Amino acid sequence: MSTIETRLIALEKANRLYKHILITVAIVGTMLFIMAFDRKQQVQETIQAKNFEVLDNQNKVLVKLTALDGSGRITTYNPSGQKQLDLLPNNVGGGSFIVYDGKGNMNARITYTDGGGGSFGVYNGAGKQVIRLGNNSSGGGDLYVRGSSGEDRVRITTTDSDAGSIVVNNNKGARVMHLSVATNQSGVANIYNVSATRICSLGTDDDGNGGLDCWNTSSSKTVKLPN
């Protein structure tokens, strides 16, 4: 075999070796690229931003995630741009959840009260709170039913001794009836005139007997049963 043929055979072997090396390098490079791409995709599953908005096809904001007073806030909007739901902090560092009617009016609000415990409020179309459900300073349940102007009309709550209490107000905001529990743990009903003066009390004595006391507007007793 001539020297030229020997060199050609060696060159062909070298070319095949280089080709195998090149293919191997390409395969390894592709695998590394895919692995690196997968790692990048995994990192991007967490998106960080100062603000985040979800838009519809007309570029109208439907959901907004932002910050408020150092806390997070999530707000949703209808196609007209009016608020639907609002999750935000209240003024004492707790959470607050507000439902709107889609016309800019607040319908309901769930929040955390300053003294501890939750509070739920329902509002009328004029933005006045007409129902408030929460807890009183003693930690008992507290329900207010209010008139269209937002003034108290009925309150169902608990007393300091953890007994029940119902207060009824007239449309001037004055208390006219109070149903509660006496110190002997019996029921007592007190009626007041328009001047908030008690004029009648129906209850029981310590022996469990019924009793009725009435007063005039000068607080002088006029009726006592039994005598």
Side-chain angles (χ1 to χ4, degrees), residues 93-113:
S96 182
F97 180 69
I98 302 176
V99 178
Y100 296 87
D101 62 359
K103 299 178 181 179
N105 301 313
M106 181 168 57
N107 289 155
R109 182 172 185 259
I110 302 174
T111 187
Y112 166 84
T113 59

Side-chain angles (χ1 to χ4, degrees), residues 170-176 191-199 217:
N170 61 19
N171 60 9
K172 305 297 183 181
R175 180 175 60 177
V176 295
I191 299 176
Y192 303 79
N193 64 17
V194 69
S195 301
T197 300
R198 187 174 65 167
I199 58 173
T217 56

Side-chain angles (χ1 to χ4, degrees), residues 1-66:
M1 182 179 294
S2 65
T3 304
I4 295 177
E5 290 176 345
T6 302
R7 290 181 178 178
L8 287 176
I9 292 173
L11 183 60
E12 288 177 358
K13 289 181 180 181
N15 286 338
R16 285 197 298 269
L17 178 61
Y18 293 149
K19 182 182 293 186
H20 291 323
I21 293 174
L22 181 61
I23 292 174
T24 301
V25 171
I27 292 174
V28 172
T30 302
M31 292 178 63
L32 291 175
F33 175 79
I34 292 174
M35 292 173 63
F37 182 77
D38 287 342
R39 286 197 295 268
K40 289 181 179 179
Q41 288 295 97
Q42 291 175 1
V43 172
Q44 291 179 353
E45 289 179 1
T46 300
I47 301 175
Q48 294 181 334
K50 294 293 185 180
N51 296 285
F52 184 81
E53 294 181 348
V54 177
L55 309 180
D56 63 8
N57 293 332
Q58 286 73 42
N59 290 327
K60 294 180 180 178
V61 177
L62 299 181
V63 182
K64 182 182 292 186
L65 283 74
T66 185

